[in-house]
Structures are given as C-alpha cells and as structure tokens.
Amino acid sequence: MTIRYGFLSTHPPTRCGLATFNAALAAHLGRAGVAGGVVRIAGHGDDLTSEPGVVHTWTAGTPAGWRDSAAALNSFDIAVVQHEYGIYPGRDGGEVLSVLRRLTVPSIVVLHTVLSRPTPSQKSLLEQIAGAAGAVVTITRAAHDRLLAGYAVDPAKISVIPHGASDYAGPPIRRHPQPHLLTWGLLGPGKGIEWALRGLARLQKLKPAPVYTVAGRTHPKVAELHGEAYRASLHQLGAALGIAHQVRYESAYFDDAALGKLIRSADVVVLPYDSTEQVTSGVLVEAVAARIPVVATAFPHAVELLTDGPGLLVPHKNPAALATAIRRILTQPALAATLRDRNGQAEPTLRWPVVAQRYRELAATLVTDHHPVAVAGT
C-alpha cells in the first residue's frame, strides 16, 4: 500500500530533540519514494527558512493557524502528529486539539511526554488528544503504563514504538589519551551536568584521570530567557573543583557524521539528568545503539532500557554514585565488555528502518479502516 504521510511537528532548521526525531522519521518513511510533507511549528525567533519537504509553516501568534495546518495535513493520506506540551499555541499547547478535530484523514499522535502529575488542564488536554487521534504511540513502556494508569484513554488505541536510532555504531575513535566521558544534547538546567562535574572531581586518583566532553548548544528557549548563565555556572563550578582542565565544552550542533565520531570516541556516556519524569531520551537510545556503556540517573526511560541491560543506573543528584559507576566501567574491562554486548542485543530493534516499519504497519491499518467523516464548521 502506498501511503503519503503528513507530519505536524517542530522541524529543522529548529534545533531540538523533537525536530530531530520528526526529521528522521519523515526521512525513513519517505525512503520508498513516496512524497510526504511537513507542517512545521515555528516559535518566536525561529529561523523561518523552509527545509525541503516543508509544505506549510505554522508560526507562533498566527490567528487560528490550526485551520491552515489542518488543511495542509488533509492533503495527505495520514497525519503523524508529534505531541509535546508547549510547542503549539494555546494553553498547554491546546490548539493542536483543534487541528486533530479538523482532520479528515486518520491520525497518529506520538506522545513525547506523559506526566505522572499533570495539572488538571494538562490531563484533560491529553485525554482529549488521545480521544481525537486514530492511534496513539508512546515511545517507552513506562509512558504506556503511565498513560493507562493515570489518564482516561482507550487502551486499544495505544502502541509502543521505540525511539529510532541512527547508525552510529562502529570502531572506537580515540580523541584523547585519557578515558573519555561524554554527555551531548541541548544544554540547560535539568541536564544535571553539575552532578557529573562533582562526580568527575572524585575520579582524580584514576591514572590517567578521565576527560569529560559536554557537547551541544544551549537550548534556544533557555538562551532566550537566561542567556548562557547555566553554561557559565558550570565553568565556575569546574574551576572551583579544580577540574576545569579536564572538561571540554563543545558548543555546536553536530551533523550526523560529526556526532557519530564523537559518540564512538566515548568510553562512557553520562546522563545525569535531574528529571524523574523523563519517559523519552533520544540521547540514551543513540548511545545504546552505538554500543557505548551508559551511566544514567534513574529517570523512567533509563530504568526501562538499562535495567539488567547495557548500562548502570544511579540515584539522582548523587555525584558519589556517579563516580562509583563510572569508575567500575573504566577499571573493569570485563564489565565494560558485558555492557557493550548487552547493547548489541538491544540495537537491532532500535534502528530507524525497523522503527519506521512499525509506523508503516500502524498507518496501513488506520488508512485501510478509515471512513471519512464531515468536519464541523469553524
């Protein structure tokens, strides 16, 4: 069955995890030569340059922008909608619901956040979104279980399809003579880098002591509100701890080739996130698929993917535990090898071609069973 996909999401040149996810999914679903298109959500200050494949841009502040966005999506066979609170206009991003209700084609809504303690408004909105969607995808089993336990949704609509991973696996690349720790992604409060720095200070007796790369630009929304205050605080902390010479800050947005080389240079990927809510982490998936051992705080996606698997879990905001876990991997070659082997077992199901095929199968079912209905007036 030939299906033309329309996507609603942030999208490059916007630089955020959601945009990267949507671009990758759109690219893989379009590899069969089927034309698709993206309705791009653009916020204040975003670059409005149109990337190939963008058929319409819904800019912040456009009155009733949902109407034209729905019209653009209705020109395809199915709409794939990325949902995250705050990227759409309206309270809690509620105007996405207006889009869904105006669609005449079936829809798949991908939930990137499922809160365990939502506000009443957030809970009601997510329940209505799930009701309006033809199918709902959660990226982790943790998000699936949280959705069913905490929200009034139809279980038959819910599927779990993992976050896709790029092909970054390959032979190690040595960038440093010392062991190399790595965290990457958009930077801002909540990333927990301060705890990793404090953990690094506890590893000074290792010979040689490791170096730590913190790669990625400051999140645009953080930069807009607070500038580079968080990054500056990290530099100050590193200096106070006496480890500034061991930390490399690479404030860049990496293309696939550069990111692949950076990941393969790491001995350990460190994810010291503060959040106990995070049910989706693209960085975690990429690290596992690249077969790099991971040390992560016990946020839900990490618990799901790393328990008895390819990494070690530590409590939140606990530099001593971070240091202990990192030391174990760096000083116990058998443990590091075991973690890499476990990564290899998880890797095939995380690859984008496999993930895209899951979406194709779900879309085909929805399109086959769809019966067009008239849309209510404006």
Side-chain angles (χ1 to χ4, degrees), residues 4-378:
R4 295 173 304 119
Y5 298 88
F7 299 87
L8 180 65
S9 178
T10 58
H11 195 76
T14 298
R15 289 172 172 171
C16 68
L18 197 67
T20 300
F21 176 94
N22 192 71
L25 180 59
H28 282 84
L29 288 176
R31 285 192 172 172
V34 180
V38 176
V39 175
R40 179 188 171 214
I41 309 302
H44 293 291
D46 280 358
D47 182 353
L48 297 182
T49 304
S50 291
E51 291 276 314
V54 173
V55 297
H56 176 70
T57 299
W58 181 2
T59 55
T62 303
W66 52 268
R67 186 181 292 112
D68 290 338
S69 297
L73 292 170
N74 281 334
S75 66
F76 298 95
D77 298 316
I78 192 165
V80 181
V81 177
Q82 310 299 341
H83 180 260
E84 178 72 84
Y85 292 109
I87 69 167
Y88 298 102
R91 183 181 181 184
D92 294 321
E95 288 190 22
V96 68
L97 184 58
S98 299
V99 175
L100 290 167
R101 287 174 172 168
R102 197 167 179 81
L103 292 178
T104 57
V105 296
S107 59
I108 299 172
V109 174
V110 185
L111 301 181
H112 292 264
T113 295
V114 180
L115 299 173
S116 62
R117 293 181 294 275
T119 65
S121 173
Q122 290 169 332
K123 181 175 185 290
S124 174
L125 176 61
L126 197 60
E127 288 173 346
Q128 291 179 77
I129 287 171
V136 174
V137 169
T138 64
I139 291 173
T140 62
R141 177 59 59 178
H144 170 276
D145 294 347
R146 181 181 290 180
L147 185 63
L148 294 185
Y151 298 78
V153 296
D154 180 359
K157 282 189 174 184
I158 317 302
S159 299
V160 180
I161 302 179
H163 192 299
S166 302
D167 189 10
Y168 294 142
I173 296 173
R174 301 308 306 179
R175 299 179 83 198
H176 309 281
Q178 309 103 305
H180 184 205
L181 314 179
L182 171 65
T183 301
W184 83 92
L186 293 173
L187 193 63
K191 281 287 188 176
I193 306 300
E194 59 270 32
W195 308 111
L197 294 179
R198 292 185 173 99
L200 182 64
R202 294 169 175 264
L203 297 172
Q204 299 309 292
K205 292 184 179 181
L206 286 180
K207 300 300 180 185
V211 296
Y212 180 34
T213 297
V214 180
R217 295 182 178 177
T218 298
H219 194 290
K221 290 186 177 180
V222 173
E224 182 181 349
L225 294 174
H226 306 291
E228 295 292 343
Y230 181 65
R231 190 183 298 271
S233 73
L234 297 177
H235 283 281
Q236 293 166 3
L237 178 60
L241 293 170
I243 57 168
H245 62 291
Q246 291 175 246
V247 186
R248 320 294 202 253
Y249 293 93
E250 299 191 15
S251 181
Y253 195 85
F254 296 86
D255 62 23
D256 275 353
L259 182 57
K261 291 179 181 178
L262 178 64
I263 293 171
R264 292 200 303 277
S265 73
D267 295 288
V268 182
V269 168
V270 184
L271 304 182
Y273 303 162
D274 290 341
S275 175
T276 59
E277 290 278 351
Q278 189 162 349
V279 292
T280 302
S281 171
V283 172
L284 173 62
V285 172
E286 295 290 9
V288 169
R291 305 185 72 175
I292 308 299
V294 178
V295 172
T297 51
F299 58 92
H301 196 181
V303 171
E304 181 171 320
L305 203 53
L306 300 184
T307 299
D308 297 324
L312 302 179
L313 294 167
V314 298
H316 288 84
K317 302 181 180 182
N318 190 325
L322 277 166
T324 297
I326 292 167
R327 183 184 292 108
R328 287 183 62 200
I329 294 173
L330 295 182
T331 60
Q332 299 177 28
L335 173 61
T338 296
L339 296 177
R340 290 191 180 93
D341 288 344
R342 290 175 180 171
N343 279 4
Q345 295 168 15
E347 177 187 349
T349 61
L350 300 177
R351 292 292 178 201
W352 269 117
V354 176
V355 169
Q357 182 57 31
R358 297 276 304 278
Y359 278 94
R360 286 191 191 95
E361 292 166 358
L362 179 58
T365 299
L366 290 175
V367 171
T368 299
D369 294 344
H370 182 62
H371 301 288
V373 295
V375 176
T378 60

